[in-house]
């Protein structure tokens, strides 16, 4: 195997230049002379035999080789940070669990799942990130996350080596503030024609099932808002802006936290919750605790 002579100092300087967008800003960040940074970059390019940057105006742009090198550098330095954190947490006796939470997943659902990790014999340090589904899958594939909690399975045919694990499914209910519930609960679901509704956006897995249910019952709602972020949707719902769908398994939590009152059950529209991991069999002890909690009935699904 050819020895390129690459060292981590060269790679680190390249990584900082790429992140900062230029040699001058990288030198300022590192407290080094511009010439020092330029020399290190030149040595790295010589060692691998490829140009990593090309001049564009007064700045630098990554070449194709540079973009590929940055992908690997990101992983290398991320793993270095995770190693430091893992060693620190080992000293503290805590197990780290880094979770990606899809922005379409109800936050009460995420809380109820993650709550199980707080009662383990070995303490857990939770690190939670929220983002869109595809972005979280990319981070999972790069091992930036231990698991992703979401409302949909991974599409078949994906090139990412990730695996979907069904956690549970639940009927949904239509809920709203007491005033709205009083106005639309009687003669449900026909009473919903023209009712104000807060709905997930069409890229949400649940939205298609909701639209089909409306069509089935010949209901034409007055859609006053569409939201990617489920937490924001619930906040508007709590303020009485409209009715909204929610998992039936969380009806008690919805009443306690949002003052949401039942308008009607919708058994045909089911909410699905998945854990997505890099492994066919989940081995992380904290994620195993989540699975066990689900099996033991943390969600009283209808």
């Amino acid at each position: 195997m050819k020895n390129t002579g690459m060292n981590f100092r060269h790679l680190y300087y390249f990584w900082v230049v790429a992140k900062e967008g230029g040699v001058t800003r990288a030198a300022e960040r590192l407290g080094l002379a511009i010439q020092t940074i330029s020399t290190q970059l030149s040595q790295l390019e010589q060692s691998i035999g490829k140009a990593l940057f090309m001049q564009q105006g007064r700045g630098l742009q990554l070449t194709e080789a540079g973009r590929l090198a940055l992908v690997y550098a990101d992983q290398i330095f991320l793993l270095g940070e995770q190693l430091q954190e893992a060693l620190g947490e080992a000293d503290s006796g805590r197990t780290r669990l880094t979770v990606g939470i899809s922005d379409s997943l109800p936050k009460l659902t995420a809380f109820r799942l993650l709550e199980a990790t707080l009662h383990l014999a070995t303490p857990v340090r939770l690190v939670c990130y929220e983002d869109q589904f595809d972005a979280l899958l990319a981070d999972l594939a790069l091992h930036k996350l231990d698991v992703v909690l979401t409302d949909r399975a991974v599409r078949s045919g994906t090139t990412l080596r990730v695996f979907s694990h069904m956690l549970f499914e639940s009927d949904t209910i239509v809920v709203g503030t007491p005033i709205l519930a009083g106005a639309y609960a009687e003669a449900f679901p026909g009473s919903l024609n023209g009712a104000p509704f807060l709905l997930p956006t069409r890229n949400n897995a649940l939205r298609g099932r909701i639209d089909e249910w409306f069509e089935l019952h010949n209901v034409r709602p007055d859609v006053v808002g569409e939201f990617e972020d489920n937490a924001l949707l619930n906040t508007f719902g709590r303020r009485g802006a409209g009715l909204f769908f929610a998992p039936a398994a969380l009806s008690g939590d919805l009443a306690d936290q949002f003052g949401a009152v039942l308008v009607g059950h919708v058994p045909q529209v089911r909410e699905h919750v998945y854990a997505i991991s890099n492994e066919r069999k989940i081995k992380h002890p904290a994620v195993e605790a989540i699975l066990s909690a689900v099996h033991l009935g943390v969600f009283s699904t209808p």
Side-chain angles (χ1 to χ4, degrees):
M1 182 175 178
K2 182 180 178 181
N3 182 4
T4 64
M6 183 192 303
N7 65 48
F8 281 106
R9 180 181 297 173
H10 294 158
L11 187 62
Y12 180 66
Y13 289 159
F14 156 76
W15 184 68
V16 175
V17 171
K19 293 295 185 182
E20 294 295 326
V23 173
T24 301
R25 292 181 61 180
E28 292 173 353
R29 171 176 166 178
L30 296 171
L32 297 172
I34 293 175
Q35 185 58 41
T36 300
I37 302 294
S38 297
T39 300
Q40 297 289 332
L41 283 180
S42 296
Q43 290 175 355
L44 176 61
E45 291 177 328
Q46 289 171 12
S47 70
I48 63 177
K50 292 182 180 292
L52 300 174
F53 293 99
M54 58 184 174
Q55 198 73 33
Q56 186 179 54
R58 295 185 177 182
L60 294 176
Q61 181 178 356
L62 286 166
T63 62
E64 183 176 346
R67 288 192 292 272
L68 179 61
L70 182 59
V71 170
Y72 282 93
D74 278 339
Q75 295 181 54
I76 289 169
F77 294 117
L78 173 66
L79 287 172
E81 292 173 1
Q82 291 178 343
L83 173 61
Q84 283 188 312
E85 291 174 350
L87 291 174
E89 286 155 11
D91 290 340
S92 70
R94 289 188 175 274
T95 299
R96 179 187 178 93
L97 177 64
T98 307
V99 184
I101 301 173
S102 174
D103 55 8
S104 58
L105 186 71
K107 299 305 173 286
L108 283 174
T109 299
F111 168 74
R112 290 287 295 278
L113 290 169
L114 295 174
E115 187 180 24
T117 67
L118 303 179
H119 307 296
L120 293 174
T122 301
V124 172
R125 179 187 174 190
L126 278 175
V127 181
C128 298
Y129 297 96
E130 182 181 1
D131 208 332
Q132 295 182 351
F133 179 73
D134 289 337
L136 292 175
L137 288 191
D139 285 345
L140 179 67
L142 292 173
H143 298 277
K144 295 180 180 180
L145 303 170
D146 294 312
V147 68
V148 171
L149 300 179
T150 183
D151 60 347
R152 72 195 76 177
V154 178
R155 293 183 294 271
S156 60
T158 180
T159 58
L160 298 176
R161 188 172 174 78
V162 294
F163 304 94
S164 302
H165 309 269
M166 168 73 87
L167 293 180
F168 79 97
E169 60 177 335
S170 168
D171 292 354
T172 58
I173 51 179
V174 174
V175 297
T177 58
I179 293 176
L180 284 177
Y184 295 102
E186 190 174 349
F188 180 91
S191 59
L192 301 181
N193 202 43
F197 261 91
L198 307 169
L199 298 178
T201 52
R202 295 189 183 279
N203 60 348
N204 185 296
L206 189 64
R207 177 61 183 272
R209 296 191 285 273
I210 291 173
D211 288 344
E212 288 176 4
W213 184 80
F214 280 143
E215 190 70 27
L216 176 66
H217 292 280
N218 198 30
V219 170
R220 298 291 182 268
D222 176 16
V223 181
V224 298
E226 298 179 78
F227 302 84
E228 277 193 337
D229 184 353
N230 184 268
L232 185 59
L233 186 155
N234 287 345
T235 299
F236 273 82
R238 179 170 54 188
R239 298 305 294 263
L243 303 173
F244 58 101
F245 286 78
L250 296 175
S251 57
D253 297 283
L254 289 163
D256 292 341
Q257 296 195 29
F258 296 102
V261 176
L262 176 68
V263 178
H265 281 90
V266 188
Q268 300 94 334
V269 178
R270 298 188 66 79
E271 180 95 54
H272 303 99
V273 179
Y274 294 86
I276 301 177
S277 74
N278 286 307
E279 305 162 324
R280 287 189 182 276
K281 179 176 175 57
I282 291 178
K283 301 175 183 177
H284 195 293
V287 182
E288 288 180 337
I290 293 172
L291 296 177
S292 297
V294 171
H295 294 154
L296 290 173
V298 66
F299 290 97
S300 54
T301 54

